[in-house]
């Protein structure tokens, strides 16, 4: 942390844990969102939050531990597996970059996000893309998606477990749970880095096989997005959803 602080004093940009490619994915999703009161969850040192503040958002950061490096911006320590320490209908937007796989109960978190968002507020989530060819090949080899190794429990406390990815989440499952908890999906975008582009021709085979399968399945058809080239060739995925108005 000291090194990061020193780097910042020298005026050199510091890349957070997610990295600039994933930040770009989140920022692309936010591009058409009017600036307002924004909560960045699992914000780390606050480098993305600082950028969001520069483009006009009124940013508050939160994380399990305080690594915050921007004292001019408000920061609140919070455990995402507990109720968020904010009043209902507080924020115009919530941004959650690459953190949802570390949490214990995704559904309770989504309910909390819906609670602290104003009606019509925006939720942006990014996460690793387990649909990518890179991730699928790894699963074929050892039944473990890329970025999601088999965790071994060694009596870690809460802070130690905050660096352990638990279970992979498909974007289709995330969208399902967002809709369950009062969100309306507006956009899905694949981005981040590129993954195994040399296997792109194999994607045509997958698309053809999926078309045949869906032709003969009357129910529970697989979304074509699953084998789309953006899904197969990118390492990350993001969604933008809007909090439905409450009666």
């Amino acid at each position: 942390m000291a090194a990061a602080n020193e780097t910042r004093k020298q005026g050199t940009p510091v890349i957070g844990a997610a990295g600039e490619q994933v930040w770009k994915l989140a920022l692309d999703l936010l591009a058409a969102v009017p600036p307002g009161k924004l909560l960045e969850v699992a914000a780390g040192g606050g480098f993305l939050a600082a950028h969001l503040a520069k483009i006009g958002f009124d940013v508050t950061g939160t994380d399990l531990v305080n690594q915050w490096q921007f004292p001019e911006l408000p920061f609140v320590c919070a455990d995402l597996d507990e109720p968020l320490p904010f009043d209902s209908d507080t924020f115009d937007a919530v941004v959650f970059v690459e953190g949802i796989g570390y949490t214990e109960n995704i559904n309770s978190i989504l309910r909390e996000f819906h609670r602290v968002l104003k009606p019509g507020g925006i939720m942006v989530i990014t996460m690793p893309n387990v649909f990518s060819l890179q991730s699928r090949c790894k699963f074929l080899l050892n039944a473990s998606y890329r970025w999601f190794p088999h965790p071994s429990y060694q009596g870690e406390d809460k802070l130690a477990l905050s660096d352990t990815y638990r279970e992979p989440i498909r974007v289709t499952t995330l969208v399902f749970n967002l809709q369950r908890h009062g969100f309306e999906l507006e956009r899905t975008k694949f981005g981040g880095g590129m993954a195994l582009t040399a296997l792109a021709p194999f994607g045509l085979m997958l698309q053809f096989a999926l078309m045949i399968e869906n032709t003969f399945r009357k129910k529970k058809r697989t979304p074509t997005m699953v084998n789309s080239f953006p899904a197969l060739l990118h390492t990350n995925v993001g969604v933008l959803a809007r909090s439905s108005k409450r009666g």
Side-chain angles (χ1 to χ4, degrees), residues 96-125:
F96 194 15
V97 172
E98 303 301 298
I100 199 165
Y102 294 103
T103 57
E104 292 181 357
N105 191 325
I106 295 168
N107 288 294
S108 66
I109 292 167
L110 296 180
R111 284 192 291 267
E112 276 297 285
F113 290 160
H114 189 267
R115 180 184 67 80
V116 301
L117 276 170
K118 298 175 183 177
I122 291 297
M123 176 82 247
V124 169
I125 296 175

Side-chain angles (χ1 to χ4, degrees), residues 132-138 146-147 194-196 232 235:
S132 73
L133 286 169
Q134 194 170 10
S135 190
R136 295 186 194 199
C137 288
K138 194 169 190 302
R146 191 188 175 209
W147 308 286
M194 299 294 287
L196 292 184
L232 295 172
T235 58

Side-chain angles (χ1 to χ4, degrees), residues 79-244:
D79 184 346
L80 290 181
D81 297 317
E82 303 292 337
L84 292 170
F86 304 105
D87 292 335
S88 300
D89 302 338
T90 296
F91 297 98
D92 299 292
V94 173
V95 175
F96 194 15
V97 172
E98 303 301 298
I100 199 165
Y102 294 103
T103 57
E104 292 181 357
N105 191 325
I106 295 168
N107 288 294
S108 66
I109 292 167
L110 296 180
R111 284 192 291 267
E112 276 297 285
F113 290 160
H114 189 267
R115 180 184 67 80
V116 301
L117 276 170
K118 298 175 183 177
I122 291 297
M123 176 82 247
V124 169
I125 296 175
T126 76
M127 61 186 188
N129 170 30
V130 298
F131 292 161
S132 73
L133 286 169
Q134 194 170 10
S135 190
R136 295 186 194 199
C137 288
K138 194 169 190 302
F139 187 84
L140 183 65
L141 290 173
N142 62 12
S144 172
Y145 291 105
R146 191 188 175 209
W147 308 286
F148 294 92
H150 300 288
S152 59
Y153 183 70
Q154 300 177 4
E156 295 95 340
D157 60 17
K158 183 79 173 185
L159 292 180
L161 285 173
S162 68
D163 284 331
T164 302
Y165 255 119
R166 317 285 171 81
E167 288 295 326
I169 306 164
R170 298 171 301 178
V171 64
T172 46
T173 304
L174 174 63
V175 169
F176 170 79
N177 284 321
L178 282 165
Q179 292 170 333
R180 282 185 64 205
H181 300 300
F183 290 92
E184 298 172 0
L185 178 69
E186 293 198 353
R187 189 180 178 197
T188 300
K189 181 177 177 63
F190 293 90
M194 299 294 287
L196 292 184
T197 54
L199 293 180
F202 183 63
L204 291 172
M205 296 173 58
L206 291 176
Q207 291 175 358
F208 180 74
L210 181 59
M211 181 182 69
I212 297 299
E213 179 191 26
N214 281 344
T215 299
F216 290 98
R217 294 184 71 175
K218 295 182 179 180
K219 297 181 179 179
K220 298 183 179 180
R221 294 182 176 179
T222 302
T224 55
M225 172 185 67
V226 170
N227 283 343
S228 66
F229 279 116
L232 295 172
L233 300 181
H234 286 93
T235 58
N236 300 84
V237 60
V239 299
L240 183 149
R242 188 176 298 274
S243 173
S244 59

Side-chain angles (χ1 to χ4, degrees), residues 17-90:
E20 289 184 339
Q21 290 180 320
V22 177
W23 289 358
K24 183 179 184 304
L25 176 60
L27 292 169
D28 286 347
L29 288 166
L30 285 166
V33 177
K37 193 171 177 62
L38 182 147
L39 176 68
E40 190 195 355
V41 183
F47 301 101
L48 177 58
H51 181 79
L52 291 168
K54 285 182 180 179
I55 61 177
F57 287 95
D58 178 11
V59 182
T60 297
T62 184
D63 208 323
L64 181 63
V65 294
N66 187 352
Q67 307 173 72
W68 202 246
Q69 299 188 42
F70 298 86
E72 68 275 17
L73 299 177
F75 174 83
V76 178
C77 277
D79 184 346
L80 290 181
D81 297 317
E82 303 292 337
L84 292 170
F86 304 105
D87 292 335
S88 300
D89 302 338
T90 296

